[in-house]
């Protein structure tokens, strides 16, 4: 039996784990790493052999196990379960409350078959919130082969963890959107540079043809001057287009070539 001091130690350990995971969630560049670390930390803090993250798919009709610890091969990344109202997963999603059981399958929930194959007797899951008012990302769940009684402190701890996971997912979503926007901007800029280069080349050919047909010396001199200006612009355009760092450009080489 846990004493009051034991409970205080457990609470301090859980808080320490949350702080450490928060640092990982802010620093890591891999969402898979963050989700797996969340599973590992939750299993350790709540003394369970298993933990997993299940992500909603197909407009909220199914959940896929996208991260986890303790499971045999063929579970993480592969197991898909329907999000039904009478399942433990569906209860949490539709009712908005954690699904708790300390004696599977001795309650009214339906459970995925892979839990039975792993000998799971106790579960606790909470919702991982969505970003920007969207539906939930999915569920964070701990699973144990032992019959455990999860209390309000365990629920609060797991929900706090799920909230941090949700914030990490939001960071990745926004980072991905920003990267996509930057890629599109770079693509558009590259296309614009290509068209400018082509237009300058067309102008050069037209003026050279005009200069070749000109009979009057003054006209030849004028078209030659215009052609020189366009060639200078073309060289400058090429120089700027191929520069690796446009914030710090050495114009010495360009001016010498010009």
């Amino acid at each position: 039996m846990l004493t009051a001091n034991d409970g205080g130690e457990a609470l301090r350990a859980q808080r320490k784990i949350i702080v450490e995971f928060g640092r990982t969630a802010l620093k890591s560049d891999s969402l898979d790493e963050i989700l797996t670390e969340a599973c590992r930390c939750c299993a350790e803090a709540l003394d369970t052999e298993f933990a997993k993250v299940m992500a909603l798919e197909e407009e909220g009709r199914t959940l896929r196990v996208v991260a986890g610890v303790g499971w045999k091969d063929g579970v993480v990344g592969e197991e898909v379960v329907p999000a039904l109202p009478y399942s433990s997963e569906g209860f949490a999603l539709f009712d908005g409350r954690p699904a708790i059981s300390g004696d599977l399958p001795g309650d009214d929930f339906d459970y995925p078959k892979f839990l039975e194959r792993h000998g799971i007797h106790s579960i606790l899951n909470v919702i991982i919130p969505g970003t920007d008012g969207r539906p939930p990302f999915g569920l964070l769940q701990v699973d144990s082969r032992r019959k455990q009684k999860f209390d309000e402190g365990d629920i609060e701890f797991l929900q706090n963890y799920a909230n941090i996971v949700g914030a990490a997912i939001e960071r990745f979503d926004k980072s991905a959107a920003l990267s996509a926007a930057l890629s599109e901007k770079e693509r558009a800029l590259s296309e614009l540079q290509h068209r400018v280069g082509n237009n300058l080349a067309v102008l050069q050919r037209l003026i050279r043809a005009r200069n070749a047909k000109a009979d009057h010396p003054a006209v030849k001199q004028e078209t030659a001057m215009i052609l020189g200006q366009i060639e200078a612009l073309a060289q400058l355009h090429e120089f700027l287009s191929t520069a690796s760092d446009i914030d710090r450009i050495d114009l010495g080489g360009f001016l010498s070539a010009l």
Side-chain angles (χ1 to χ4, degrees):
M1 179 180 294
L2 290 175
T3 65
N5 185 59
D6 292 331
E9 289 293 333
L11 182 59
R12 282 191 289 271
Q14 289 181 355
R15 289 175 177 173
K16 181 180 178 182
I17 288 174
I18 286 182
V19 171
E20 291 175 351
F21 174 72
R23 295 194 186 103
T24 300
L26 289 173
K27 292 179 180 179
S28 177
D29 294 326
S30 169
L31 183 57
D32 288 341
E33 178 185 353
I34 289 176
L35 297 181
T36 301
E37 181 65 9
C39 293
R40 187 193 66 78
C41 291
C42 290
E44 177 184 341
L46 296 178
D47 193 24
T48 65
E49 304 94 325
F50 305 87
K52 61 183 179 289
V53 171
M54 292 180 286
L56 276 171
E57 294 184 331
E58 298 182 12
E59 299 181 352
R61 292 192 293 269
T62 60
L63 288 149
R64 180 181 296 273
V65 180
V66 295
V69 293
W71 306 100
K72 297 177 182 178
D73 293 342
V75 174
V76 176
E78 298 183 30
E79 282 287 353
V80 178
V81 299
L84 301 174
Y86 48 81
S87 67
S88 58
E89 297 80 17
F91 174 82
L93 290 169
F94 297 124
D95 200 71
R97 292 181 294 166
I100 308 172
S101 178
D103 188 15
L104 273 67
D107 53 34
D108 296 330
F109 290 136
D110 279 357
Y111 297 97
K113 294 298 182 182
F114 72 90
L115 296 189
E116 182 180 342
R117 294 198 303 268
H118 285 76
I120 302 301
H121 282 285
S122 304
I123 70 157
L124 166 62
N125 65 26
V126 295
I127 289 176
I128 299 174
T131 61
D132 297 329
R134 298 175 186 171
F137 173 82
L139 298 174
L140 175 61
Q141 179 167 315
V142 290
D143 310 80
S144 177
R145 287 180 174 142
R146 292 175 288 108
K147 295 181 179 181
Q148 291 185 233
K149 291 185 178 180
F150 297 108
D151 58 24
E152 289 298 323
D154 297 329
I155 297 172
E156 182 181 0
F157 167 81
L158 196 61
Q159 187 61 68
N160 286 337
Y161 232 95
N163 292 341
I164 297 175
V165 172
I169 294 168
E170 181 177 10
R171 176 172 70 87
F172 270 82
D173 286 346
K174 290 183 176 180
S175 178
L178 179 60
S179 295
L182 289 175
S183 296
E184 178 61 22
K185 183 177 180 180
E186 289 174 357
R187 187 201 62 77
L189 180 59
S190 177
E191 177 66 21
L192 177 62
Q193 290 174 340
H194 180 69
R195 292 189 179 187
V196 169
N198 285 345
N199 289 338
L200 289 173
V202 170
L203 282 175
Q204 285 176 297
R205 289 196 296 270
L206 290 174
I207 294 175
R208 286 195 187 100
R210 173 74 180 275
N211 184 268
K213 294 179 180 179
D215 295 328
H216 199 285
V219 174
K220 278 185 171 291
Q221 182 179 5
E222 183 177 355
T223 54
M225 181 184 65
I226 295 173
L227 181 61
Q229 292 173 343
I230 293 176
E231 287 177 343
L233 285 174
Q235 288 184 45
L236 178 60
H237 174 262
E238 182 179 1
F239 178 76
L240 294 176
S241 298
T242 57
S244 59
D245 185 359
I246 62 173
D247 291 330
R248 301 178 65 183
I249 293 177
D250 180 12
L251 290 177
F254 166 72
L255 294 176
S256 297
L258 184 61

